Amino acid sequence: MKHTKIIGIIGVGLVAVLLAACGQNKQSAAKSSTGGATQTATIQTSSEIQTLDPAQATDGDSLIAISSNNEGLYRLDKNSNPIPGIATKVVTPTDEGKKYVIPLRHDAKWANGDPVTAEDFVYAWQRVVTPSTKASYAYLLDGIENAAAIRNGKAAPSTLGVKAIDKYTLQINMSVAVPYLRILFAFPTFFPANEKFVKAQNGKFGTSAETIIANGPFVLKDWNGTGQSWHFVKNKNYWDAKTVKLTRLNFQVVKETATAFNLFQTGKLDDVTLTGEYAQNNVKNEKATPRRGSSIRYLQVNTKTKGLDNTAVRNIISQVIDRKSLAKTVLGDGSIPPLGMIPQGMYKDPVSGKDFAQEAGNLAPSNVKKAKANWADTKSKVGGKLSLRLLTPDDDDSKAIAEYVQGQIENNLNGISVSIQTMPQKAADAAAERGDFDLYLKNWGADYPDPTTFLDLFKSSSSFNYTNWHDAKYDNLLANAEGADADNASKRTKDLRDAHAYLLAEKPVIPLFQRYVLHLNNPKVKGIVYFPTSYHFDYKYTYVTK
């Protein structure tokens, strides 16, 4: 997942948030079940929503907004296990994991009163894989029959292996078994869509609060497509509305850490993310909530840049970065040096039972002495001097990390200069996609608990691969893991392990740290559910005590 998922404190000046008007009876009911507290919470978020279209969203803030407004077949519980959403039960597949028949609840409705049906899932998934939709996450459906062929323009969307058996029964036929598919059924890319409503938006679906329709716990209000604040109100038509206690959920973009901290201290924000010295100074704060993230912050390397087209130079730059110091002195929030591009604690080798990342060993070691020696032997081959542009988002966190990386390179590798270019997240992604960078500070959080959520990013065909590194050996290893070897745990694990090792030997990406996030949370605001993977936060069960 692109990163605004965990990264950064983003900011604007204080915007007042007002309670939504609500009926006296509803307000009284909320108070009676929560000790008389007003059921409103205000959350600091890391960046602006980029889209509300489930087929288009890839950044964390958009996915959190969509998962609050909408619901798929399943949700995730507090342990990240799938539980029924629009489906009435979590189904075990048949035919060796290749067939799902999923019953849907009859009481699920869209906010306009239309029932949520099996056809809504068929339409939504066909829309995701249709090439003209340009859905970056369309590859997540590739295990479904004909999905890859449709994505590549070789088959019609109507041939996708998903169909409505009847109004409330969905059947999914797979070309290969996908072990993490039930987790994906809770992910926004797999959410249903109301075809009539989507088509009525004339191509503007998901561009504002007025151009979306809810079927989840909340209804999004007051987002015009670019705003830095928005809010939700409780969805009275939600099938499980009785569980939802919040009557209003506010979000506010705040870019400066100091501003976010001060707003929390004065009671204007109920949940904020701390970085740098604010994280270091508040680790023991009784209101601090550390959250382990399955995300990696890393540098994408433009392998077309002079000097960076040399594998040895990419490895030298990687070696010169002291990741322990970065995690401890710059971040100070519990983040740890990475072992590679797979987070520790995210995935266990199904054969050995060991942590996949730890089993691989350190594939991104720091060794300044070795890096200097290798640079002395290599610099003449690339002209002796390199001037590199480090592109980064414009939040405090990213700028501090970029400055640290800049210093590590310039202070240890004579002849390499690094200039930092900052942009808002959306603009930075666009520049990187155009190839307008040399190094790009990026973050990716796991969308599901499997190594492919990271490794697939760097396939030749990936829309997230800005590196210009396209390698047939790497592509083939992943093709085997997700195709011929998908049903063989031992072979699949070897494919994934070999692909990971090869990626880190080539270094089109340079891992910097695995993120742990320190939040300050108002102790009266309870029930925020956090997932290390997927869309990260669920506010369905959140409530405020008196």
Side-chain angles (χ1 to χ4, degrees):
M1 181 188 301
K2 275 186 201 175
H3 233 62
T4 49
K5 202 186 253 190
I6 299 182
I7 292 300
I9 303 295
I10 309 227
V12 291
L14 174 61
V15 176
V17 285
L18 303 176
L19 294 178
C22 54
Q24 184 175 358
N25 291 338
K26 292 180 184 177
Q27 185 76 355
S28 297
K31 286 185 177 182
S32 65
S33 62
T34 52
T38 299
Q39 294 303 303
T40 299
T42 302
I43 311 296
Q44 175 261 332
T45 190
S46 59
S47 74
E48 301 87 343
I49 293 172
Q50 295 187 27
T51 179
L52 294 170
D53 183 347
Q56 300 288 350
T58 59
D59 67 287
D61 292 290
S62 297
L63 293 169
I64 290 170
I66 292 168
S67 63
S68 298
N69 193 78
N70 295 96
E71 184 169 84
L73 292 170
Y74 304 150
R75 299 186 74 85
L76 299 180
D77 67 13
K78 63 181 181 179
N79 297 314
S80 296
N81 296 315
I83 56 176
I86 301 302
T88 60
K89 63 180 180 179
V90 175
V91 169
T92 299
T94 58
D95 294 1
E96 298 181 323
K98 295 182 182 179
K99 182 178 180 180
Y100 293 78
V101 178
I102 301 178
L104 309 183
R105 60 179 69 255
H106 292 210
D107 56 347
K109 298 186 185 320
W110 295 99
N112 64 0
D114 289 350
V116 180
T117 68
E119 286 291 352
D120 292 332
F121 286 93
V122 173
Y123 167 71
W125 296 7
Q126 288 180 353
R127 180 172 176 265
V128 168
V129 296
T130 298
S132 60
T133 303
K134 297 180 180 179
S136 296
Y137 270 158
Y139 67 87
L140 292 179
L141 280 71
D142 276 1
I144 301 174
E145 283 184 357
N146 293 326
I150 298 167
R151 283 202 304 114
N152 294 316
K154 297 179 180 179
S158 60
T159 65
L160 185 67
V162 55
K163 62 181 179 179
I165 300 299
D166 57 42
K167 190 173 183 178
Y168 296 108
T169 308
L170 183 69
Q171 179 174 315
I172 303 153
N173 298 319
M174 308 294 294
S175 56
V176 295
V178 177
Y180 47 84
L181 186 63
R182 292 195 297 183
I183 299 294
L184 287 178
F185 285 160
F187 195 71
T189 307
F190 289 77
F191 282 5
N194 185 308
E195 181 175 6
K196 179 177 65 176
F197 183 89
V198 172
K199 290 183 175 178
Q201 306 314 306
N202 297 316
K204 294 184 178 181
F205 177 67
T207 59
S208 67
E210 288 69 33
T211 60
I212 59 170
I213 184 170
N215 75 325
F218 301 100
V219 178
L220 181 66
K221 300 287 186 180
D222 291 342
W223 184 70
N224 62 7
T226 59
Q228 295 196 323
S229 65
W230 53 92
H231 74 271
F232 295 88
V233 297
K234 181 176 177 177
N235 182 5
K236 64 181 180 180
N237 287 323
Y238 179 50
W239 69 268
D240 195 24
K242 66 181 183 299
T243 299
V244 181
K245 297 296 187 293
L246 290 180
T247 56
R248 180 169 172 132
L249 175 62
N250 303 304
F251 285 84
Q252 179 64 56
V253 177
V254 183
K255 283 200 175 183
E256 291 79 22
T257 306
T259 302
F261 180 76
N262 290 335
L263 291 175
F264 179 85
Q265 293 292 86
T266 57
K268 301 296 193 305
L269 293 173
D270 294 308
D271 188 277
V272 300
T273 308
L274 298 185
T275 59
E277 63 178 298
Y278 283 90
Q280 297 167 29
N281 293 338
N282 285 276
V283 169
K284 297 183 179 180
N285 189 322
E286 62 181 5
K287 297 177 182 179
T289 303
R291 293 180 171 126
R292 177 181 65 82
S294 291
S295 68
I296 299 290
R297 198 82 191 257
Y298 61 98
L299 297 174
Q300 286 217 36
V301 183
N302 189 341
T303 60
K304 283 189 175 181
T305 295
K306 178 185 175 182
L308 298 180
D309 56 356
N310 185 305
T311 304
V313 173
R314 299 196 295 267
N315 272 284
I316 287 166
I317 290 174
S318 177
Q319 287 177 328
V320 84
I321 299 170
D322 185 340
R323 293 165 173 82
K324 288 184 179 179
S325 178
L326 171 59
K328 184 175 181 179
T329 64
V330 178
L331 302 170
D333 54 6
S335 295
I336 59 175
L339 297 176
M341 279 300 296
I342 308 300
Q344 298 178 61
M346 183 195 75
Y347 178 76
K348 287 185 177 180
D349 179 334
V351 178
S352 69
K354 297 179 180 179
D355 184 87
F356 184 89
Q358 293 175 357
E359 194 173 39
N362 191 353
L363 302 179
S366 300
N367 191 327
V368 175
K369 183 177 180 180
K370 184 177 180 180
K372 286 182 174 181
N374 289 343
W375 176 239
D377 294 336
T378 306
K379 64 187 297 186
S380 63
K381 299 176 184 177
V382 295
K385 292 185 178 181
L386 299 176
S387 296
L388 305 178
R389 290 175 301 140
L390 172 52
L391 175 64
T392 178
D394 64 351
D395 57 276
D396 282 358
D397 193 24
S398 297
K399 288 186 282 189
I401 295 164
E403 289 169 2
Y404 179 84
V405 170
Q406 177 190 47
Q408 293 281 284
I409 295 172
E410 291 186 341
N411 294 338
N412 292 296
L413 300 176
N414 183 36
I416 302 183
S417 61
V418 179
S419 60
I420 297 173
Q421 184 177 17
T422 62
M423 294 182 183
Q425 181 74 58
K426 192 170 184 178
D429 278 338
E433 190 172 5
R434 295 192 303 269
D436 189 13
F437 74 102
D438 300 318
L439 301 169
Y440 181 31
L441 181 61
K442 188 69 175 164
N443 190 85
W444 192 266
D447 295 313
Y448 51 91
D450 188 86
T452 55
T453 191
F454 288 91
L455 300 180
D456 279 355
L457 299 176
F458 308 107
K459 287 179 177 178
S460 297
S461 59
S462 171
S463 59
F464 301 110
N465 183 2
Y466 307 145
T467 68
N468 289 307
W469 181 77
H470 305 136
D471 193 283
K473 178 180 177 179
Y474 184 76
D475 292 344
N476 288 336
L477 285 168
L478 290 179
N480 290 336
E482 296 165 331
D485 298 339
D487 298 333
N488 186 314
S490 180
K491 289 184 177 179
R492 181 176 188 269
T493 298
K494 185 178 186 305
D495 293 334
L496 296 175
R497 189 164 50 238
D498 290 349
H500 185 214
Y502 185 65
L503 176 71
L504 271 295
E506 290 288 306
K507 290 292 192 310
V509 291
I510 297 174
L512 298 176
F513 59 88
Q514 179 178 343
R515 196 69 193 227
Y516 278 58
V517 184
L518 189 72
H519 282 246
L520 286 186
N521 178 251
N522 181 348
K524 293 182 180 180
V525 177
K526 301 182 182 298
I528 296 176
V529 179
Y530 171 73
F531 315 115
T533 61
S534 195
Y535 48 89
H536 277 322
F537 290 98
D538 189 348
Y539 300 97
K540 173 179 174 177
Y541 308 100
T542 303
Y543 62 96
V544 183
T545 60
K546 191 170 182 179

